[in-house]
Amino acid sequence: MNAPVTLALTLDRLAMRQRAEISSIDWDAMSENEGARLRALGLDEGVTVEKLHKGMFGFNDPIALKVGRMMIAIRKSHAATISVVVPA
């Protein structure tokens, strides 16, 4: 029996309205305060997120996410440090 196929990518590349699970976060790529803020917003390994929308005018910053029942916004540069897996 084959194992389920998953797609691995970073959160900034996740499609709109796509749900994914955070597989890892490169905490070293951000300051301690930025990391603490993301943790306080509920972002950590194993959490399911959904990309809701991104900023306007071609900058695509910030990115709005659904985390649990909350909607939060994070910078695109931070989203690029968050690896996610999308179940197939």
Side-chain angles (χ1 to χ4, degrees):
M1 188 160 142
N2 293 336
V5 177
T6 57
L7 175 64
L9 63 158
T10 55
L11 188 52
D12 60 320
R13 295 174 160 265
L14 188 65
M16 289 300 156
R17 297 291 180 180
Q18 180 70 57
R19 293 174 57 101
E21 182 177 309
I22 298 174
S23 59
S24 66
I25 301 175
D26 184 1
W27 298 112
D28 295 329
M30 61 189 84
S31 74
E32 188 175 320
N33 288 339
E34 292 168 331
R37 178 182 167 271
L38 292 181
R39 283 188 176 103
L41 291 172
L43 294 177
D44 212 343
E45 289 85 358
V47 172
T48 299
V49 296
E50 179 181 352
K51 189 173 181 180
L52 298 177
H53 59 86
K54 53 188 174 184
M56 300 169 59
F57 308 116
F59 296 109
N60 300 326
D61 207 15
I63 295 172
L65 304 172
K66 183 176 180 183
V67 180
R69 296 184 334 195
M70 298 183 304
M71 182 168 64
I72 65 169
I74 66 171
R75 296 175 192 247
K76 184 178 178 183
S77 60
H78 293 146
T81 68
I82 301 172
S83 298
V84 296
V85 290
V86 179

